[in-house]
Amino acid sequence: MASAAEQEAVSEHAPERAGPPVWPGAPTPLGARCRVGPAGVAGTNFALWAGGAEAVELCLFAADGTERRLPLTELTHEIWHGFVPGIGAGQRYGFRVHGRWDPWTGARWNPAKLLLDPYARAVDGDYGRLGLPPEVYGHVRDWPQQHVADTVRDERDSAPYVPKGVVVQDDDDWSDDRRPKTPWQDSVIYELHVKGFTRLHPGVPEHLRGTYAGLAHPAAVEHLAGLGVTAVELLPVHQFAHEDHLLRRGLRNHWGYNSIGYFAPHAGYSSSGTAGQQVGEFKRMVRALHAAGIEVILDVVYNHTAEAGELGPTLSLKGIDNRGYYRLQSDARRYADYTGCGNTLHVVQPQVLRLITDSLRYWVTEMGVDGFRFDLAAALARSMHDVDMLSPFLAVIAQDPVLRRVKLIAEPWDVGNGGYQVGAFPPLWTEWNDRYRDAVRDFWRGALPDVRDLGYRLSGSSDLYAWGGRRPYASVNFVTAHDGFTLRDLVTYERKHNEANGEGNRDGTHDNRSWNCGVEGETDDPGINALRLRQQRNLLTTLLLSTGVPMLVAGDEMGRTQGGNNNAYCQDNETGWVDWTLPDAPGRAQLLALTRRLLALRHRHPVLRRRAFFSGRPQGADGLRDLAWFTAEGAEMTEPDWYAPTATLGLYLSGRDIPGRDERGTQITDDSFLAVLHAGARPLDFHLPGPPWAETYELVVDTAREDQSAAPGTLHPGGGTLTVGARSTVLLRVRA
């Protein structure tokens, strides 16, 4: 039974059906758009696709919560539409959709539930703080005594408990913005969380921390620009909802992979707290980053929504046309779940494909973003059931004049059968390369049986991407990501420690491929801490010297820790936020300096960011290869060497054999480099290749040293011996 407070809230939101007239309006564009109507009358056009619905009501909300319901009587190609004079920016609204209730056939219409416009460009309100109330479910949630009956329709009004869409004025001009347009081969991606990156930043004013404005603040931008990254990849900023099970445990969804509004910047990251202001604030953030030469890539979640499965809430698409928007099983009461989140959007359906592509174009053309990373992209590429690289989604993206020009990154898997598709996405796409992650982690923890796989990963993964005209930058190389251990935790923990998530440490992967250097967790042992810092330097150096597009995770350059939590999706606290005091800790400032040094080196030398794959064949009269591999004895590796157990690998990158020309047509040339990766537990005497490879080598980086400032300049003769420290990486430049 509803409490007195709940009954009062419902009474305050009692509908008033009298209100402004509704003119016919237009079926396009979908959503709410301010415009000048007939006879010069200003107002807002509302349009909602609701296939199979019997009626649609537009619900307008006053500041005191009073609701006015206006029937939309115009229907064009399953789009209900109408123009309401006098309605402008700031108006809060939603829809009620009438139709059959028959969950056995997938029909879940329920006009008692206020629905968020899928095209709402701003959202006001939240879905609850201590748990979702039963009113937000289309089915009976507490019948009887907290039991669930998902086939029984709930007749209680959800309007007092759910957020509303907000009408936004189209008044922005992007003519003063200059997109960086960084070529793929020159890109370095920095994955960050809008709130987590700035929440503790001492240089960002308190009232701006954790917001779009905070990320746009000079203190935040200066760190990114000074580091040398070319793009930020923002964890989801689409409006998202918190799961009921988290709210009841006093937690919140921190990462945001629970989208409910594909056009709206998440309101929780706005500094103003005023409905609709988050749109302008997001745009100003994009401009500030562009001015610093930094692109903005969004991590987008079009594979599922926050409405979960048949036991989830009714917030938007489920109540508009459940069968039209979601993949259902043969038993249409149940949802097909290729995402592990309860539902999967049915991207084969034209209206779903339109929703996604309209959203993508909106963020490019009206919000200024430069690209997208698609969460569980294999789910989007499924036709009926199987992953299909000729699917409608991939075909539409390939021919779209806006979307085919921006950066497109696939997370090339989902949780369904046949969902692992690394290397299979078509040209135009780059991919998160988890095979790179696994090989590099295994090498440095001493778990690779041989170096065959590592060789492919360091040189651009040609075994995965050298087809269809794809280039080495099809591989987004990473050692860590938001999902999993941080770089510091990777060398500190061998087991996950997710107890704070409240799931009995059952959540998160068991396959961490980590090594704790002998002690689980933090320690005061100076020897172990020195080794852990060296391992972090090794992993960062390997990543930033590899061919492909490197991706760093915010805070890894300073040794950020999550205390061994490898699934901190619900840790909206110090666990999930970047600690800006880290550079003051022993060894952390040097780690940050090394990251900056390596990125500057990468930007200066095209041999480290090639546009084409290595051939491995002799070039020129002296027979030097553009890429050569060496054993510790200084001999070129033979076929048996690739199969032999070893902890050492040398690779020679020739700068005089770089395919391609600069903008004036001049052949690109560069220095040549020799890198030595040694994961052995003891120092090693490495025999440096002599002429014709090099007469002399100059030391550039040595991860055995905590401070790299003294490393450069040391010369070593070709044909001589270089002592490489235990578990360390050495980079040398060919001088002659």
Side-chain angles (χ1 to χ4, degrees), residues 1-7 134-135 142-143 145-146 156 161:
M1 182 174 179
S3 67
E6 290 171 336
Q7 291 173 348
E135 287 83 356
D142 56 351
W143 174 88
Q145 299 175 355
Q146 299 300 316
R156 289 170 292 187
Y161 310 99

PDB file of all heavy atoms in Angstrom, residues 1-7 134-135 142-143 145-146 156 161:
ATOM      1  N   MET A   1       0.847  -1.190   0.000  1.00  0.00           N
ATOM      2  CA  MET A   1       0.000   0.000   0.000  1.00  0.00           C
ATOM      3  C   MET A   1       0.882   1.238   0.000  1.00  0.00           C
ATOM      4  O   MET A   1       1.902   1.295   0.681  1.00  0.00           O
ATOM      5  CB  MET A   1      -0.913   0.017   1.224  1.00  0.00           C
ATOM      6  CG  MET A   1      -1.863   1.216   1.273  1.00  0.00           C
ATOM      7  SD  MET A   1      -3.024   1.070   2.666  1.00  0.00           S
ATOM      8  CE  MET A   1      -3.929   2.597   2.451  1.00  0.00           C
ATOM      9  N   ALA A   2       0.534   2.271  -0.795  1.00  0.00           N
ATOM     10  CA  ALA A   2       1.333   3.483  -0.903  1.00  0.00           C
ATOM     11  C   ALA A   2       1.309   4.249   0.404  1.00  0.00           C
ATOM     12  O   ALA A   2       0.306   4.305   1.102  1.00  0.00           O
ATOM     13  CB  ALA A   2       0.813   4.373  -2.036  1.00  0.00           C
ATOM     14  N   SER A   3       2.466   4.868   0.744  1.00  0.00           N
ATOM     15  CA  SER A   3       2.545   5.675   1.941  1.00  0.00           C
ATOM     16  C   SER A   3       1.788   6.981   1.738  1.00  0.00           C
ATOM     17  O   SER A   3       1.413   7.349   0.617  1.00  0.00           O
ATOM     18  CB  SER A   3       4.007   5.973   2.263  1.00  0.00           C
ATOM     19  OG  SER A   3       4.553   6.803   1.258  1.00  0.00           O
ATOM     20  N   ALA A   4       1.581   7.725   2.843  1.00  0.00           N
ATOM     21  CA  ALA A   4       0.893   9.008   2.746  1.00  0.00           C
ATOM     22  C   ALA A   4       1.663   9.965   1.849  1.00  0.00           C
ATOM     23  O   ALA A   4       1.080  10.714   1.058  1.00  0.00           O
ATOM     24  CB  ALA A   4       0.715   9.599   4.147  1.00  0.00           C
ATOM     25  N   ALA A   5       3.017   9.935   1.972  1.00  0.00           N
ATOM     26  CA  ALA A   5       3.829  10.818   1.137  1.00  0.00           C
ATOM     27  C   ALA A   5       3.692  10.467  -0.336  1.00  0.00           C
ATOM     28  O   ALA A   5       3.612  11.352  -1.201  1.00  0.00           O
ATOM     29  CB  ALA A   5       5.304  10.726   1.563  1.00  0.00           C
ATOM     30  N   GLU A   6       3.645   9.153  -0.634  1.00  0.00           N
ATOM     31  CA  GLU A   6       3.494   8.727  -2.026  1.00  0.00           C
ATOM     32  C   GLU A   6       2.135   9.117  -2.575  1.00  0.00           C
ATOM     33  O   GLU A   6       1.999   9.565  -3.715  1.00  0.00           O
ATOM     34  CB  GLU A   6       3.711   7.216  -2.135  1.00  0.00           C
ATOM     35  CG  GLU A   6       5.165   6.801  -1.904  1.00  0.00           C
ATOM     36  CD  GLU A   6       5.311   5.311  -1.804  1.00  0.00           C
ATOM     37  OE1 GLU A   6       4.308   4.637  -1.461  1.00  0.00           O
ATOM     38  OE2 GLU A   6       6.417   4.806  -2.054  1.00  0.00           O
ATOM     39  N   GLN A   7       1.070   8.957  -1.732  1.00  0.00           N
ATOM     40  CA  GLN A   7      -0.266   9.347  -2.176  1.00  0.00           C
ATOM     41  C   GLN A   7      -0.326  10.838  -2.454  1.00  0.00           C
ATOM     42  O   GLN A   7      -0.935  11.289  -3.432  1.00  0.00           O
ATOM     43  CB  GLN A   7      -1.294   8.953  -1.108  1.00  0.00           C
ATOM     44  CG  GLN A   7      -1.483   7.443  -0.964  1.00  0.00           C
ATOM     45  CD  GLN A   7      -2.379   7.089   0.199  1.00  0.00           C
ATOM     46  OE1 GLN A   7      -2.690   7.923   1.043  1.00  0.00           O
ATOM     47  NE2 GLN A   7      -2.800   5.835   0.248  1.00  0.00           N
ATOM     48  N   PRO A 134       7.952   0.456  -6.847  1.00  0.00           N
ATOM     49  CA  PRO A 134       7.213  -0.492  -7.693  1.00  0.00           C
ATOM     50  C   PRO A 134       6.436   0.191  -8.800  1.00  0.00           C
ATOM     51  O   PRO A 134       6.121  -0.440  -9.812  1.00  0.00           O
ATOM     52  CB  PRO A 134       6.292  -1.217  -6.708  1.00  0.00           C
ATOM     53  CG  PRO A 134       6.239  -0.348  -5.502  1.00  0.00           C
ATOM     54  CD  PRO A 134       7.553   0.354  -5.429  1.00  0.00           C
ATOM     55  N   GLU A 135       6.129   1.482  -8.637  1.00  0.00           N
ATOM     56  CA  GLU A 135       5.342   2.189  -9.655  1.00  0.00           C
ATOM     57  C   GLU A 135       6.056   2.301 -10.999  1.00  0.00           C
ATOM     58  O   GLU A 135       5.405   2.533 -12.026  1.00  0.00           O
ATOM     59  CB  GLU A 135       4.987   3.598  -9.144  1.00  0.00           C
ATOM     60  CG  GLU A 135       3.929   3.623  -8.064  1.00  0.00           C
ATOM     61  CD  GLU A 135       4.476   3.368  -6.682  1.00  0.00           C
ATOM     62  OE1 GLU A 135       5.697   3.082  -6.549  1.00  0.00           O
ATOM     63  OE2 GLU A 135       3.696   3.456  -5.711  1.00  0.00           O
ATOM     64  N   ASP A 142       5.102  -5.884  -6.536  1.00  0.00           N
ATOM     65  CA  ASP A 142       4.985  -6.245  -5.121  1.00  0.00           C
ATOM     66  C   ASP A 142       3.705  -7.029  -4.858  1.00  0.00           C
ATOM     67  O   ASP A 142       3.008  -6.798  -3.885  1.00  0.00           O
ATOM     68  CB  ASP A 142       5.034  -4.990  -4.247  1.00  0.00           C
ATOM     69  CG  ASP A 142       3.967  -3.976  -4.638  1.00  0.00           C
ATOM     70  OD1 ASP A 142       3.311  -4.178  -5.687  1.00  0.00           O
ATOM     71  OD2 ASP A 142       3.788  -2.997  -3.914  1.00  0.00           O
ATOM     72  N   TRP A 143       3.380  -7.971  -5.769  1.00  0.00           N
ATOM     73  CA  TRP A 143       2.146  -8.736  -5.635  1.00  0.00           C
ATOM     74  C   TRP A 143       2.459 -10.225  -5.560  1.00  0.00           C
ATOM     75  O   TRP A 143       3.091 -10.764  -6.490  1.00  0.00           O
ATOM     76  CB  TRP A 143       1.251  -8.490  -6.846  1.00  0.00           C
ATOM     77  CG  TRP A 143       0.026  -9.339  -6.847  1.00  0.00           C
ATOM     78  CD1 TRP A 143      -1.165  -9.057  -6.272  1.00  0.00           C
ATOM     79  CD2 TRP A 143      -0.138 -10.601  -7.498  1.00  0.00           C
ATOM     80  NE1 TRP A 143      -2.054 -10.061  -6.508  1.00  0.00           N
ATOM     81  CE2 TRP A 143      -1.452 -11.037  -7.263  1.00  0.00           C
ATOM     82  CE3 TRP A 143       0.701 -11.446  -8.240  1.00  0.00           C
ATOM     83  CZ2 TRP A 143      -1.956 -12.227  -7.740  1.00  0.00           C
ATOM     84  CZ3 TRP A 143       0.204 -12.635  -8.717  1.00  0.00           C
ATOM     85  CH2 TRP A 143      -1.121 -13.020  -8.466  1.00  0.00           C
ATOM     86  N   GLN A 145       3.154  -9.427  -1.520  1.00  0.00           N
ATOM     87  CA  GLN A 145       4.247  -9.359  -0.549  1.00  0.00           C
ATOM     88  C   GLN A 145       5.616  -9.415  -1.230  1.00  0.00           C
ATOM     89  O   GLN A 145       6.413 -10.317  -1.000  1.00  0.00           O
ATOM     90  CB  GLN A 145       4.107 -10.472   0.492  1.00  0.00           C
ATOM     91  CG  GLN A 145       2.804 -10.387   1.289  1.00  0.00           C
ATOM     92  CD  GLN A 145       2.635 -11.569   2.227  1.00  0.00           C
ATOM     93  OE1 GLN A 145       3.436 -12.490   2.228  1.00  0.00           O
ATOM     94  NE2 GLN A 145       1.591 -11.534   3.040  1.00  0.00           N
ATOM     95  N   GLN A 146       5.847  -8.459  -2.111  1.00  0.00           N
ATOM     96  CA  GLN A 146       7.128  -8.296  -2.799  1.00  0.00           C
ATOM     97  C   GLN A 146       7.398  -9.358  -3.850  1.00  0.00           C
ATOM     98  O   GLN A 146       8.491  -9.421  -4.399  1.00  0.00           O
ATOM     99  CB  GLN A 146       8.293  -8.252  -1.805  1.00  0.00           C
ATOM    100  CG  GLN A 146       8.216  -7.108  -0.815  1.00  0.00           C
ATOM    101  CD  GLN A 146       8.207  -5.764  -1.496  1.00  0.00           C
ATOM    102  OE1 GLN A 146       8.982  -5.536  -2.419  1.00  0.00           O
ATOM    103  NE2 GLN A 146       7.336  -4.865  -1.087  1.00  0.00           N
ATOM    104  N   ARG A 156      -0.650   1.583 -11.418  1.00  0.00           N
ATOM    105  CA  ARG A 156      -0.269   2.786 -10.688  1.00  0.00           C
ATOM    106  C   ARG A 156       0.534   3.732 -11.581  1.00  0.00           C
ATOM    107  O   ARG A 156       1.312   3.306 -12.435  1.00  0.00           O
ATOM    108  CB  ARG A 156       0.534   2.417  -9.438  1.00  0.00           C
ATOM    109  CG  ARG A 156      -0.301   1.753  -8.355  1.00  0.00           C
ATOM    110  CD  ARG A 156       0.555   1.180  -7.242  1.00  0.00           C
ATOM    111  NE  ARG A 156       1.352   0.046  -7.700  1.00  0.00           N
ATOM    112  CZ  ARG A 156       2.085  -0.712  -6.889  1.00  0.00           C
ATOM    113  NH1 ARG A 156       2.135  -0.456  -5.591  1.00  0.00           N
ATOM    114  NH2 ARG A 156       2.770  -1.730  -7.382  1.00  0.00           N
ATOM    115  N   TYR A 161       7.727   9.438 -10.165  1.00  0.00           N
ATOM    116  CA  TYR A 161       8.940   8.732  -9.780  1.00  0.00           C
ATOM    117  C   TYR A 161       9.989   8.637 -10.888  1.00  0.00           C
ATOM    118  O   TYR A 161      11.079   8.107 -10.646  1.00  0.00           O
ATOM    119  CB  TYR A 161       8.572   7.322  -9.324  1.00  0.00           C
ATOM    120  CG  TYR A 161       7.459   7.303  -8.313  1.00  0.00           C
ATOM    121  CD1 TYR A 161       6.149   7.025  -8.702  1.00  0.00           C
ATOM    122  CD2 TYR A 161       7.704   7.601  -6.980  1.00  0.00           C
ATOM    123  CE1 TYR A 161       5.112   7.016  -7.780  1.00  0.00           C
ATOM    124  CE2 TYR A 161       6.676   7.604  -6.048  1.00  0.00           C
ATOM    125  CZ  TYR A 161       5.377   7.315  -6.452  1.00  0.00           C
ATOM    126  OH  TYR A 161       4.362   7.328  -5.537  1.00  0.00           O
TER     127      TYR A 161
END
